[in-house]
Each structure stands twice: as C-alpha cells, then as structure tokens.
C-alpha cells in the first residue's frame, strides 16, 4: 500500500453483530478478508471472499468514506484496520 485509502466496503448483515463476533471471525481459519467493527462492519476483500466470510448472514455491501479525522480520539481501530 503506497497511500491510505479513503474508502472501504461497509457490509450489511441480516443480524446485528458485535465486536466480539467480528473478532471471532477474524481468528477463524480460512477468513481471507480484513475486518473491523465500529457499529458497522468494515472490510477489505473481494466480494466473494466477503460473502464467504459472513455466509448466510451477508446481505449487501456499499462503499463508505472514512472520517478524515480518523487519527484522533478513540479511532485506533481504523489504524489497526489499515495495518492489517
């Protein structure tokens, strides 16, 4: 990566999720997407990989733009997301 991206997919799920559920998915063998959670699921990966990660709970994905002030406050999850 030569520059920080401004957008990423925001995944819509059939059921509400939590940070713990996303953390469990991140540790699951075979998960090929990069994930984080901030009240919504943010991810990087191909559409099929994203669908496979969430299986039957996947509804759709759309593009979201990062808050330009992601480096401030309690947004370290974004930094970790970029590092992954």
């Amino acid at each position: 990566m030569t520059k920080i991206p401004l957008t990423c997919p925001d995944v819509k799920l059939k059921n509400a999720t939590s940070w713990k559920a996303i953390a469990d998915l991140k540790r699951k063998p075979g998960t090929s997407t990069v994930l984080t959670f901030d009240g919504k699921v943010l991810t990087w990966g191909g559409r099929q990989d994203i669908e496979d990660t969430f299986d039957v709970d996947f509804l759709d994905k759309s593009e979201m733009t990062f808050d330009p002030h992601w480096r401030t406050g309690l947004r370290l999850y974004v930094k970790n997301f970029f590092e992954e």
Side-chain angles (χ1 to χ4, degrees):
M1 189 183 308
T2 59
K3 67 179 185 174
I4 294 176
L6 301 175
T7 64
C8 79
D10 168 8
V11 177
K12 306 290 185 239
L13 302 174
K14 291 179 185 174
N15 299 298
T17 193
S18 66
W19 175 248
K20 182 185 179 328
I22 296 303
D24 290 346
L25 276 175
K26 289 170 69 167
R27 287 190 293 275
K28 186 177 173 183
T31 298
S32 59
T33 56
V34 178
L35 305 166
T36 196
F37 184 71
D38 177 32
K40 56 187 167 186
V41 179
L42 307 180
T43 186
W44 276 303
R47 183 175 181 95
Q48 190 61 54
D49 293 329
I50 293 169
E51 288 182 27
D52 291 348
T53 296
F54 295 102
D55 198 27
V56 297
D57 203 29
F58 178 84
L59 284 176
D60 196 15
K61 72 180 184 82
S62 59
E63 201 75 8
M64 63 82 59
T65 302
F66 290 106
D67 178 338
H69 304 290
W70 65 265
R71 290 182 175 95
T72 61
L74 301 173
R75 298 169 195 232
L76 290 178
Y77 66 90
V78 175
K79 179 181 179 287
N80 292 337
F81 186 52
F82 289 140
E83 289 173 349
E84 285 182 43

